[in-house]
Amino acid sequence: MSEVGSLKPEEDAFGQKLWAAYKENQVFEIVERDDGYIDAMSLKGYFSGYEDWQFEQKAMKFVKGRVLDIGCGAGRHSLYLQNEGFDVLGIDISPLAIKVCKLRGLRKTKVISIEEVKFQPDSFDTIIMMGNNFGLFGNFKKARRLLKRFHNMTSENALIIAVTRDPYKTDNPAHLEYHKLNKEKDRMGGQVKIRSRFRKYVGRWFDYLMVSKEEMKEILRATGWKVKQFIDTEDAQYVAIIEKDKLIVSRKRK
Ligand SMILES: C[S@@+](CC[C@H](N)C(=O)[O-])C[C@H]1O[C@@H](n2cnc3c(N)ncnc32)[C@H](O)[C@@H]1O
């Protein structure tokens, strides 16, 4: 999963999980980290609706205009916004995820990686990266490169609404050790190298980036974006409402 190039069917482990959840009510997601740590999570959340949400309800209130949903999964946010009358494009690297979105009624979709996202200037007013998808920025450098690109393809008052987790808010020794090793390798502490597994399907290894609020501000610095507001949750997860930094734009114009 991730980076450039379309997924081969045997690599679309995440899509296979969504497909199984959609068709057979298969509900577990297995994620493998490169230190061997295995996590199993319920897939139910990917099919949840507005009434099931808490912090996401608050986040959706900020959405305006034309929306790009990056890594839309089974399309829960795109479908909600489409039903509310927004013009939404859901994109995902997984062909099967996009198939599920279409079957669930999402009208505008595209199989594409975040790496390949390139649209004309002023194409969107809101970019959403839900379900921890700030992580799709992968690493510090790539995040800054993509943020600058997103600046160009969005309108003057555009917002990015992105969810992540503060990786350091944990007392799990395996995670704390992983952050330490990452930093020794000159990676961000929460830059987790993971892959998705499902039955015989094995996803590609990719970096998923979890950041603290301070790290997020550092990533955004001088990209043309800044944090407008954070929405906290009961645990380490939080939403960042990110707006254009007008100061940077006006300085650039001079
Ligand atoms: C954690 S899920 C979140 C799904 C959805 N946003 C939600 O909240 O229900 C991550 C999604 O990102 C997609 N994805 C992973 N790597 C990607 C990439 N490089 N470009 C675009 N989408 C990607 C996965 O296929 C998956 O659907």
Side-chain angles (χ1 to χ4, degrees):
M1 194 143 66
S2 153
E3 319 306 314
V4 199
S6 51
L7 289 182
K8 294 185 201 128
E10 65 273 22
E11 289 176 321
D12 193 4
F14 187 81
Q16 289 288 349
K17 284 178 210 175
L18 283 185
W19 183 249
Y22 181 65
K23 284 285 187 200
E24 310 158 24
N25 211 18
Q26 159 74 33
V27 285
F28 280 102
E29 150 164 55
I30 306 293
V31 177
E32 179 186 3
R33 199 167 62 189
D34 65 338
D35 61 345
Y37 192 92
I38 304 279
D39 221 346
M41 288 160 277
S42 168
L43 269 176
K44 263 194 193 151
Y46 294 122
F47 292 86
S48 60
Y50 183 82
E51 59 292 344
D52 306 312
W53 302 341
Q54 287 166 6
F55 68 90
E56 287 157 314
Q57 285 191 5
K58 292 184 193 160
M60 289 299 108
K61 291 197 175 26
F62 287 88
V63 173
K64 55 187 177 184
R66 300 151 299 167
V67 184
L68 176 65
D69 182 357
I70 301 185
C72 59
R76 57 186 174 133
H77 302 101
S78 283
L79 284 164
Y80 163 72
L81 292 169
Q82 180 180 277
N83 288 340
E84 290 294 301
F86 290 93
D87 176 8
V88 191
L89 171 64
I91 65 160
D92 203 288
I93 197 173
S94 159
L96 270 177
I98 290 298
K99 186 171 173 180
V100 171
C101 286
K102 283 183 176 164
L103 287 168
R104 297 179 76 210
L106 188 60
R107 288 192 288 271
K108 289 172 75 177
T109 59
K110 200 168 182 181
V111 178
I112 185 179
S113 167
I114 188 171
E115 289 271 336
E116 297 158 317
V117 167
K118 227 178 208 166
F119 290 90
Q120 294 298 315
D122 193 15
S123 293
F124 299 100
D125 305 295
T126 312
I127 294 178
I128 62 171
M129 304 174 79
M130 305 301 289
N132 291 338
N133 268 355
F134 185 86
L136 295 181
F137 281 134
N139 63 51
F140 189 89
K141 257 175 105 172
K142 189 162 100 182
R144 289 175 61 81
R145 177 163 46 82
L146 289 173
L147 281 160
K148 287 177 191 165
R149 196 187 296 168
F150 291 179
H151 196 277
N152 283 334
M153 58 187 225
T154 47
S155 57
E156 197 184 338
N157 293 312
L159 294 175
I160 298 175
I161 301 173
V163 183
T164 186
R165 296 186 77 80
D166 183 334
Y168 311 110
K169 287 191 175 165
T170 178
D171 50 12
N172 182 326
H175 297 336
L176 294 170
E177 177 67 13
Y178 190 81
H179 302 153
K180 204 171 123 230
L181 289 174
N182 255 349
K183 286 187 172 165
E184 282 169 19
K185 288 188 262 181
D186 243 3
R187 291 161 59 87
M188 293 192 75
Q191 190 178 330
V192 293
K193 189 170 182 179
I194 53 173
R195 67 179 175 184
S196 190
R197 302 198 69 136
F198 180 65
R199 295 182 184 156
K200 65 187 171 64
Y201 300 96
V202 184
R204 287 183 199 161
W205 287 110
F206 69 109
D207 280 346
Y208 203 55
L209 185 62
M210 308 289 169
V211 290
S212 67
K213 290 177 180 173
E214 284 314 305
E215 287 175 330
M216 181 181 289
K217 286 182 192 161
E218 181 55 22
I219 287 172
L220 295 181
R221 204 172 45 80
T223 60
W225 297 98
K226 67 179 170 66
V227 173
K228 174 185 167 81
Q229 190 180 322
F230 288 120
I231 302 171
D232 289 318
T233 71
E234 282 163 6
D235 67 9
Q237 199 173 33
Y238 65 93
V239 187
I241 310 296
I242 298 167
E243 65 183 356
K244 286 197 165 169
D245 189 345
K246 298 281 168 55
L247 217 62
I248 300 262
V249 176
S250 59
R251 262 194 227 131
K252 267 188 192 162
R253 282 202 186 117
K254 280 181 192 164

